């Protein structure tokens, strides 16, 4: 007890000085909770933890009056003067190494700000679940793998534990899973039937399970690039070699050689010992795509949604250790911890799936640009139909656009025939007009294959009463039930509710219920009836539920085991089938009239994409587009293979309305079981927004209004939108308006910044 040695003089002269110093110097950690309090909190770092508390690691901190310990992300550490008010101390450190680099922490902060999300939820979102798992000792059976017999057979309780431990788990989880007490587990450990699992690192590098069994597709590196390909590659390699950021947009039809340009840019990146991230829509993560990267490069990690948390964790660690050169994956692969990042590529960059539909509602395209800028590396965006936002940035000169105008090898884009569905002739025989039927016959007779796109699954899109006109609706959603066969089930595509459809009208009791509208099931039936000799398959979420079925169907189609493939937009994406001679778009208007300002953009993109599937081989090809609005600019442009014409007609409309890319939108969706409560709260938000906006003429507040889907899963939905030309300004306004909102108990609401989904 050194203090007792101080004599009077020391106490008098020195004590005030060092006592004061002592009180004011120290180490402070700023932490962010994954949920609950949104504000970063400061804690004192006790000396015992001084080296261990660092940004990117998780720490345990006492919270509230009860000082309950919570896990939190340390985002900053500073040493120096302490604040006046006393700080609580960090209680412990969770991770032995940072999970996040400082740059990632910075990114999460930016994302929270950019999409009005909570910082904590962004931190959680950028780390795969397997990484976030609390670090615990995992147990596994000692002898299970070798098959050796234990001296004494295990008791039934022990056997249950050993079975449950087939996948390594913590003692607590094992106890719970097998319904035994912890003592049983302790006993198993003691007698050596259980042991501590090695680590998740032992998980093998995992790819799609079908990859090994399939024939490899060899994509040889072509001897020479076409001049536009060479120019595009040069545009990427310039900043790559100079260590500069630049965004390069590859605008080229499917088959124009974009992927080959990505591959060669990645090749050069790897030659510098750097890493590349390639983002594709989840649906394109087929073995075909991945094999193309694997065939060219040795170390490719594929991050797809079927990975288990442990597999994801192990890949994450290999990437972080720099052992992986190329990361191919969907949206969240952008957060792969690449220490030597050299290039980011986003294929099909216009796809809405790059925006996350749940909080944090980030857009991977914008995240990629932030990272590429911060790291000083090129970002490549490729599409046959770039998003209008992307197009606009190129027109502004902010991004560089490289056009790949034709298909590699010079095969012509197929002629497109529009069939006007308003003409009664064209509807005389179900969903397939005589001219589409003639096209199908032409393709089959010519030894080719057919793809038919109909973006509605099920048999009929509604069941309607012929007497009173009412349609059968979901009891908990404001949506018509879709008729699915067999069994005449009514399925709600909003909530998934399955119901036996009534035989008489629920409103007027007339026995006159008839199916209306055609879904993929009915189309398949009609096609089978009309072309009995053809082999027909259907590809939609109903037929593609089991893992690997998507690949199996595509393989069968590629191997010519299927003549006609009927499907939803699933069939429209990215694949190269040389024998397809006819593509039919059964109803091009299906999505055109949705209450979404992007409806025409999406329609044009979808029709353009699917039209590009035809005639890629030597057989030639045609496209038939059935539409009730053949003169709509989106349909006309797609039919002319002239996406840019659509862009030219659409941009001025967006500009006049201050829609993206000329303005930003923040959308609020309010849900409640009580319709009045939903409306009231939406109204309250509008009031707050209007008050903040004052009489600013460029800010527009729309609503409250019922959302296009007015009721979903028994919740009434109201929405509010605020538009303004400047995104940052708009977000500030929204932040102020919503700062101190006390949400009523029976209401839930979300904020979506720059939404891509407006229903
Ligand atoms: P996209 O990604 O635009 O659809 P791809 O890169 O897949 O286009 O190219 C289409 C096809 O042409 C592929 O089979 C590819 O291997 C081939 N290809 C691409 N570039 C060349 C080239 N310069 N010479 C010969 N074949 C090429
Ligand atoms: Zn429903």
């Amino acid at each position: 007890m050194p203090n007792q040695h101080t004599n009077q003089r020391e106490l008098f002269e020195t004590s005030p000085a060092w006592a004061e110093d002592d009180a004011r110097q120290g180490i402070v950690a700023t932490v962010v909770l994954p949920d609950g309090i949104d504000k970063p909190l400061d804690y004192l770092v006790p000396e015992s933890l001084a080296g261990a508390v660092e940004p990117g690691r998780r720490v345990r901190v006492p919270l509230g009056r009860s000082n309950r310990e919570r896990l939190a992300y340390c985002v900053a550490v500073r040493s120096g003067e302490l604040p006046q008010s006393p700080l609580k101390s960090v209680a412990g450190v969770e991770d032995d190494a940072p999970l996040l680099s400082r740059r990632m922490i910075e990114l999460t902060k930016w994302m929270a700000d950019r999409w009005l999300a909570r910082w904590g939820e962004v931190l959680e979102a950028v780390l795969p679940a397997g990484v976030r798992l609390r670090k615990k000792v995992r147990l596994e059976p000692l002898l299970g793998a070798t098959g050796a017999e234990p001296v004494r057979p295990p008791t039934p309780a022990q056997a249950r534990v050993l079975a449950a431990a087939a996948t390594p788990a913590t003692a607590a989880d094992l106890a719970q899973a097998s319904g035994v007490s912890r003592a049983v587990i302790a006993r198993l450990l003691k007698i050596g039937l259980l042991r501590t699992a090695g680590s998740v690192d032992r998980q093998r590098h995992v790819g799609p399970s079908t990859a090994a069994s399939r024939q490899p597709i060899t994509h040889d590196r072509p001897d020479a690039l076409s001049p536009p390909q060479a120019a595009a590659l040069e545009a990427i390699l310039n900043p790559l070699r100079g260590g500069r950021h630049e965004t390069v947009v590859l605008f080229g039809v499917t088959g124009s050689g974009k992927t080959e340009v990505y591959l060669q840019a990645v090749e050069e990146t790897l030659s510098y010992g750097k890493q590349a991230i390639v983002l594709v829509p989840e649906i394109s993560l087929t073995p075909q795509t991945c094999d193309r990267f694997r065939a060219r490069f040795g170390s490719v990690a594929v991050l797809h949604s079927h990975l288990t948390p442990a597999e994801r964790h192990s890949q994450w660690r290999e990437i972080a250790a720099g052992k992986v050169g190329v990361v191919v994956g969907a949206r969240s692969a952008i957060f792969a911890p690449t220490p030597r990042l050299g290039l980011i590529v986003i294929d099909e960059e216009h796809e809405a799936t790059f925006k996350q539909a749940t909080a944090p509602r980030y857009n991977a395209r914008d995240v990629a640009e932030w990272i590429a800028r911060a790291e000083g590396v090129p970002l490549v965006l490729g599409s046959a139909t770039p998003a209008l936002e992307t197009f606009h940035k190129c027109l502004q000169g902010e991004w560089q656009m490289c056009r790949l105008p034709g298909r590699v090898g010079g095969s012509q884009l197929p002629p497109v025939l529009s069939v006007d569905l308003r003409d009664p002739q064209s509807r005389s025989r179900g969903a397939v007009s005589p001219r589409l039927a003639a096209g199908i016959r032409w393709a089959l007779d010519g030894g080719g294959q057919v793809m038919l796109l109909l973006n509605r699954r099920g048999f009929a899109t509604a069941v309607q009463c012929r007497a009173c006109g009412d349609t059968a609706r979901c009891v908990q959603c404001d949506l018509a039930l879709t008729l699915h066969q067999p069994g005449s089930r009514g399925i709600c595509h909003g909530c998934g509710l399955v119901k036996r459809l009534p035989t008489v009208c629920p409103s007027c009791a007339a026995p006159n219920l008839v199916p209306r509208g055609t879904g993929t099931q009915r189309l398949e039936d009609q096609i089978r009836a009309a072309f009995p000799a053809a082999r027909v398959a259907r590809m939609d979420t109903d037929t593609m539920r089991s893992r690997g079925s998507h690949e199996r169907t595509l393989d069968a189609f590629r191997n010519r085991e299927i003549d006609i493939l009927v499907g939803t937009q699933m069939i429209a994406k990215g694949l190269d089938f040389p024998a397809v001679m006819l593509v039919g778009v059964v109803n091009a208007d299906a999505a055109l009239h949705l209450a979404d300002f992007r409806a025409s953009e999406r329609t044009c993109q979808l029709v353009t994409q699917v039209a590009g599937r035809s005639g890629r081989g030597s057989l030639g090809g045609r496209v038939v587009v059935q539409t009730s609005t053949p003169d709509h600019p989106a349909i006309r442009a797609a039919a002319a293979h002239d996406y840019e014409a659509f862009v030219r007609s659409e941009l001025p409309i967006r500009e006049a309305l201050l829609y993206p890319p000329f303005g930003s939108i923040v959308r609020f969706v309010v849900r409640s079981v009580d319709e009045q409560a939903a409306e009231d709260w939406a109204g309250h938000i509008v009031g707050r927004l209007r008050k903040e906006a004052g009489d600013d003429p460029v800010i527009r507040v729309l609503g409250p209004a019922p959302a296009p889907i007015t009721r979903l899963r028994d919740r009434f939905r109201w929405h509010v939108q605020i538009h303004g030309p400047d995104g940052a300004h708009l977000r500030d306004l929204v932040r102020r308006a919503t700062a101190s909102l006390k949400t009523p108990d029976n209401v839930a609401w979300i904020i979506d910044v720059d939404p891509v989904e407006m229903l």
Side-chain angles (χ1 to χ4, degrees):
M1 288 198 258
N3 281 352
Q4 288 187 344
H5 293 281
T6 51
N7 61 32
Q8 280 290 330
R9 200 171 141 259
E10 271 175 14
L11 194 67
F12 184 70
E13 283 182 5
T14 60
S15 169
W18 56 248
E20 200 181 6
D21 264 353
D22 214 27
R24 291 171 61 200
Q25 297 292 312
I27 307 175
V28 175
T30 306
V31 309
V32 173
L33 293 165
D35 49 53
I37 303 169
D38 193 17
K39 211 165 61 83
L41 305 170
D42 279 352
Y43 283 86
L44 191 67
V45 179
E47 230 161 83
S48 56
L49 296 177
V53 176
E54 62 175 326
R57 290 206 216 186
R58 287 167 306 169
V59 294
R60 289 185 298 277
V61 294
L63 199 72
R65 226 171 289 157
S66 65
N67 281 328
R68 198 162 61 88
E69 268 187 28
R70 290 283 314 269
L71 212 52
Y73 291 86
C74 174
V75 293
V77 173
R78 62 174 192 277
S79 54
E81 281 195 17
L82 295 176
Q84 294 292 317
S85 50
L87 291 176
K88 292 183 189 179
S89 293
V90 173
V93 178
E94 180 76 2
D95 308 304
D96 17 285
L99 302 178
L100 295 155
S101 64
R102 277 164 210 251
R103 177 145 294 148
M104 285 296 273
I105 296 172
E106 226 181 292
L107 171 68
T108 55
K109 173 94 181 77
W110 174 80
M111 286 172 67
D113 187 59
R114 175 66 183 74
W115 286 285
L116 298 175
R118 299 161 26 76
W119 193 356
E121 88 197 348
V122 179
L123 284 161
E124 293 271 282
V126 304
L127 288 171
V131 176
R132 278 188 278 113
L133 284 182
R134 291 195 70 148
K135 187 176 48 126
K136 277 183 192 159
V137 179
R138 284 161 189 278
L139 306 173
E140 65 183 2
L142 184 59
L143 299 170
T146 63
E149 284 299 315
V151 184
R152 214 183 303 157
T155 67
Q158 288 176 338
R160 284 206 303 279
V161 176
L162 292 175
T167 44
T170 63
D173 290 347
L174 278 182
Q176 181 165 20
S178 42
V180 302
S181 75
R182 292 286 285 270
V184 178
I185 292 180
R187 171 86 191 140
L188 281 166
L189 276 166
K190 186 146 177 264
I191 60 177
L193 287 181
L194 267 186
R195 67 169 175 194
T196 306
S199 95
V200 281
D201 277 340
R202 297 179 318 117
Q203 293 276 349
R204 300 245 315 111
H205 175 89
V206 186
S209 56
T210 51
S213 58
R214 270 195 355 262
Q215 245 169 269
I217 307 159
T218 44
H219 281 277
D220 295 326
R221 194 175 186 282
D223 298 331
L225 292 179
S226 69
Q229 278 179 313
L233 183 62
E234 206 46 41
I236 303 166
L237 295 186
N238 269 331
L240 184 74
R241 289 171 181 155
R244 278 184 293 116
H245 164 65
E246 176 113 40
T247 300
V248 179
V249 176
L250 301 194
F251 172 35
V253 295
T254 338
S256 62
K258 297 185 295 297
T259 309
E260 184 56 43
V261 175
Y262 309 152
L263 287 166
Q264 298 203 13
V266 169
E267 195 179 309
E268 177 128 349
T269 306
L270 297 179
S271 78
Y272 301 141
K274 299 210 163 165
Q275 297 169 294
I277 297 178
V278 179
L279 296 190
V280 299
E282 177 75 36
I283 195 159
S284 309
L285 273 176
T286 56
Q288 281 89 349
T289 317
C290 302
D291 285 355
R292 209 161 154 194
F293 280 87
R294 289 220 180 90
R296 199 73 67 89
F297 311 112
S299 59
V300 179
V302 178
L303 300 177
H304 53 79
S305 63
H306 296 304
L307 293 180
T308 65
E311 288 167 347
R312 212 165 257 277
H313 187 186
S314 117
Q315 298 230 352
W316 199 82
R317 289 172 67 151
E318 293 208 346
I319 297 164
K323 290 183 197 154
V324 171
V326 190
V327 179
V328 182
R331 185 176 57 230
S332 63
I334 193 61
F335 304 119
T338 44
R340 292 177 284 106
L341 186 66
L343 178 72
I344 305 176
V345 175
I346 305 185
D347 191 29
E348 311 281 0
E349 64 86 31
H350 62 280
E351 283 286 327
T353 58
F354 289 119
K355 178 96 161 40
Q356 176 148 296
T358 54
R361 297 178 166 79
Y362 68 90
N363 193 324
R365 194 171 60 203
D366 302 304
V367 173
E369 205 201 3
W370 188 97
I371 295 175
R373 195 180 288 278
E375 301 268 349
V377 306
L379 167 65
V380 180
L381 304 176
S383 176
T385 54
L388 261 73
E389 285 87 342
T390 301
F391 231 103
H392 181 63
K393 283 207 172 132
C394 295
L395 293 174
Q396 299 289 98
E398 199 178 321
W399 292 352
Q400 188 184 348
M401 180 173 275
C402 296
R403 287 179 165 77
L404 303 175
R407 285 175 168 177
V408 172
S411 80
Q412 290 301 301
L413 286 167
V416 179
L417 174 76
S418 292
V419 173
D420 190 340
L421 290 177
R422 291 168 304 183
D423 176 359
Q425 259 293 307
S426 64
R427 321 195 80 147
S428 54
R429 280 185 292 145
V432 177
S433 65
R435 299 182 82 169
L436 177 53
I440 296 173
R441 186 148 296 120
W442 167 80
L444 296 177
D445 289 349
Q449 291 174 296
V450 175
M451 290 173 95
L452 296 177
L453 171 83
L454 177 58
N455 221 358
R456 286 170 168 172
R457 59 196 178 87
F459 185 84
T461 46
V463 178
Q464 192 177 35
C465 173
R466 223 197 282 264
C468 73
D470 244 20
T471 52
R473 303 187 87 75
C474 175
V475 288
Q476 46 179 12
C477 308
D478 184 36
L479 290 168
L481 290 172
T482 302
L483 172 63
H484 284 243
Q485 298 293 13
S488 292
R489 289 162 305 147
I491 299 185
C492 172
H493 287 183
C495 69
L497 188 94
V498 182
K499 226 185 130 184
R500 185 154 258 301
L501 279 171
T503 46
V504 298
C505 173
S507 302
C508 73
N512 284 331
L513 290 175
V514 288
R516 293 278 185 215
T518 303
T520 44
Q521 269 187 354
R522 191 184 209 175
L523 178 64
E524 183 190 359
D525 285 1
Q526 290 177 358
I527 292 293
R528 282 184 194 282
F531 302 95
R535 294 160 301 173
V536 182
R538 173 161 59 92
M539 200 158 106
D540 53 30
T541 38
D542 296 319
T543 59
M544 297 294 129
R545 287 205 198 283
S546 67
R547 184 176 170 172
S549 50
H550 186 236
E551 289 81 48
R552 274 195 301 279
T553 307
L554 290 178
D555 281 349
F557 193 59
R558 182 185 306 280
N559 297 335
R560 312 288 303 267
E561 291 151 22
I562 296 167
D563 300 310
I564 304 178
L565 183 61
V566 172
T568 54
Q569 59 180 346
M570 265 187 190
I571 66 169
K573 315 288 175 185
L575 293 153
D576 184 8
F577 299 112
V580 172
M581 286 176 70
L582 183 93
V583 163
V585 180
V586 175
N587 184 355
D589 320 288
L592 200 51
H593 307 295
L594 292 178
D596 184 334
F597 71 92
R598 286 195 184 84
S600 17
E601 181 181 347
R602 297 250 170 82
T603 298
C604 189
Q605 288 166 339
L606 183 61
V607 176
T608 304
Q609 298 268 346
V610 74
R613 312 272 120 229
S614 180
R616 297 189 61 174
S618 52
L619 299 170
R622 289 181 194 170
V623 179
V624 176
V625 174
Q626 303 193 135
T627 170
S628 309
T629 51
D631 293 325
H632 192 286
I635 307 285
R636 271 224 311 261
H641 298 292
D642 190 358
Y643 181 69
E644 216 167 337
F646 168 73
V647 174
R648 282 193 301 271
S649 75
E650 183 72 4
L651 278 177
I653 300 173
R654 298 274 182 95
E655 186 166 20
L657 297 170
L658 280 186
Y659 277 126
F662 299 93
S664 185
I665 298 180
V666 179
R667 181 182 187 227
F668 301 77
V669 181
V670 179
R671 289 175 297 141
S672 175
V673 281
D674 178 353
E675 180 162 28
Q676 193 59 47
E679 180 180 351
D680 289 350
W681 189 247
H684 185 66
I685 291 173
V686 166
R688 290 287 197 109
L689 293 172
R690 290 232 159 90
K691 186 151 159 273
E692 272 316 318
D695 42 19
D696 191 336
V698 293
I699 302 287
R700 275 183 306 158
V701 180
L702 309 177
I709 297 176
T710 55
R711 195 162 56 103
L712 195 63
R713 293 192 177 85
D714 259 337
R715 300 286 184 286
F716 289 92
R717 302 169 79 245
W718 280 67
H719 72 161
V720 173
Q721 291 179 33
I722 181 164
H723 295 210
D726 179 55
H729 173 70
L730 200 63
R731 293 194 294 276
D732 274 343
L733 191 160
V734 170
R735 210 174 281 117
R736 287 196 306 273
T738 55
S740 55
L741 281 180
K742 273 239 144 292
T743 311
D745 287 341
N746 59 346
V747 174
W749 58 289
I750 59 114
I751 300 184
D752 194 356
V753 177
D754 298 329
V756 299
E757 168 68 75
M758 307 294 283
L759 297 180

